[in-house]
Amino acid sequence: MPGREILLLGNDRLYKIAETVRREELPLIKSIVTDMHDTILAFREKYNFGRAIAAPQIGVGKRLIYMLGDPPEVFINPVLSFPDSEEMEVWDNCMSFPDLMVKVKRFKRTKIDFLNQDWNPTSMKLDGDLSELLQHECDHLDGILTITRAIDSRSFMLRSEYLKIAAQ
């Protein structure tokens, strides 16, 4: 399946705060998760990156994240907490602007509390790139794009240039 269209930078819907998922919406959530899965696979085929997607990126204003992994993970109404203040600088990418990289600071470690697809409370401790990834996706739920977290005005790079530098 081709999935849904990903909203791109400049679309006002990306800046809206997503609504909490209610238990009675769970049957609907399952079809949205299928769409998110199909969307991320189609995106990866075209751009060769993408590990997770937030529902607002496909125009669904709900607090829902899908992470492609082994196994895939669904985060319903996620809440982040930070066990310490250690940060890291990373070049972040986003499916809503796939040709742009943005240098940001993120917390190195996070804890995420969420409901899984069976509506069971779940927690995960994250470190490094997974910590960064879930911070990025949770930002989408709050209408925050990584461009607003750029370290400074020189923290932007075209993806093609980033790949050239990374290959050296």
Side-chain angles (χ1 to χ4, degrees), residues 9 12 20 23 30 33 40 52 57 59 72 79 104 117 159 166-167:
L9 181 63
D12 285 342
T20 301
R23 187 180 189 118
K30 292 183 188 298
V33 167
I40 201 168
Q57 290 180 275
V79 176
V104 298
Q117 277 193 280
R159 184 170 180 73

Side-chain angles (χ1 to χ4, degrees), residues 51-68:
R51 299 178 290 161
I53 189 167
Q57 290 180 275
I58 61 167
V60 177
K62 292 292 179 181
R63 299 189 78 75
L64 178 67
I65 295 169
Y66 175 79
M67 184 171 69
L68 190 61

